[in-house]
Structures are given as structure tokens and as C-alpha cells.
Amino acid sequence: MFIISVGIMIYLIRLKNIQKALYTLDKEFLEDNSVTLNEAFILYSLYNKKTSCASYLSNQIGLSNSRTSRILENLEIKKYIIRRIGKPDKRKMIFSLTDKGREKIKEIQSRENKYTEFIIRLVKMIKEIITP
């Protein structure tokens, strides 16, 4: 029989609360910005690097190549990014922001205070778990 101590259960509940908070952030972020957090991560990666290939973006944001590919397709449909064939290697696709994509980043940045407050609350929740 497997028994979990009360102390461990309290930590698990706190971890579950962090998971709920992250889910809420993801949902609110989508409602506020019409893009998911993962889409925003890619937009910001392209904003900072100007152009990039899919594998670099996958590594940057920690997602699988297939998940990144779907996100890139969604961003293309929304006209936030464009895809070009690589010059040295024609098999490689290079992605960059459109003007609409740069505007989306400015729109997200205008709500920065809301997300900063959320991150501060989240850090406090994490500290409750790691502080004895």
C-alpha cells in the first residue's frame, strides 16, 4: 500500500495551484492578445533574432519540431510571420516577422504590467514550495 504523508500532499497541492495559475495565464493571454503564449514566444524570438529556422525556434522555446511547425503555420495564417526558402540551403525554411507581427509584439508589450504582476504572484507561489 502506498501512503503519502501530509507534508508531501501539501507540496503536491501547491504544485497543482501553480499548474492552475499557469493555465489561467495561458487562457487570459490568448483572450487579451489573440495569440497563445507559445505563439508569442516565437514572435519574440523572431523579433530578437530578425530571421530564424524552425529548429532554432524549437530549441529556443523548448518545444518539439512538430509542435513548433504547427505554431509557425498558425502564425503564417494570421500574417504575423513569413516563410522564405533559405539561400545557402534551399531545403531550409527561414522565418521572419511581418509588420503585422511587429505590431502584435507592441500590443502585447502594452499589457506588460498585467503579466509582470502575475509573474510576481507565481514566484511567491514557487517560493512557498521551495522554502522550508
Side-chain angles (χ1 to χ4, degrees), residues 8-25:
I8 295 296
M9 189 55 71
I10 290 170
Y11 285 116
L12 291 173
I13 290 168
R14 288 177 180 167
L15 284 171
K16 185 71 174 170
N17 289 338
I18 290 170
Q19 182 184 21
K20 284 184 204 175
L22 289 170
Y23 174 78
T24 300
L25 172 64

Side-chain angles (χ1 to χ4, degrees), residues 112-127:
E112 190 173 282
N113 286 341
K114 177 181 181 177
Y115 306 121
T116 301
E117 290 169 12
F118 177 86
I119 291 167
I120 290 168
R121 286 195 318 269
L122 188 60
V123 167
K124 286 179 185 176
M125 292 171 76
I126 293 168
K127 282 182 180 177

Side-chain angles (χ1 to χ4, degrees), residues 10-89:
I10 290 170
Y11 285 116
L12 291 173
I13 290 168
R14 288 177 180 167
L15 284 171
K16 185 71 174 170
N17 289 338
I18 290 170
Q19 182 184 21
K20 284 184 204 175
L22 289 170
Y23 174 78
T24 300
L25 172 64
D26 205 25
K27 188 176 163 187
E28 285 182 21
F29 192 90
L30 177 59
E31 289 171 4
D32 290 346
N33 301 294
S34 302
V35 294
T36 66
L37 279 170
N38 285 334
E39 289 172 335
F41 295 153
I42 288 179
L43 291 176
Y44 272 83
S45 292
L46 289 171
Y47 183 75
N48 290 325
K49 195 161 187 311
K50 305 295 181 214
T51 65
S52 187
C53 64
S55 60
Y56 174 83
L57 293 167
S58 291
N59 290 331
Q60 273 297 103
I61 61 175
L63 295 176
S64 68
N65 288 340
S66 61
R67 180 70 187 120
T68 302
S69 178
R70 286 192 301 273
I71 294 168
L72 288 167
E73 285 176 33
N74 288 339
L75 290 170
E76 253 186 306
I77 289 167
K78 293 176 182 180
K79 308 280 190 225
Y80 294 138
I81 64 170
I82 54 172
R83 174 190 313 241
R84 293 189 180 104
I85 296 173
K87 288 186 181 180
D89 184 350

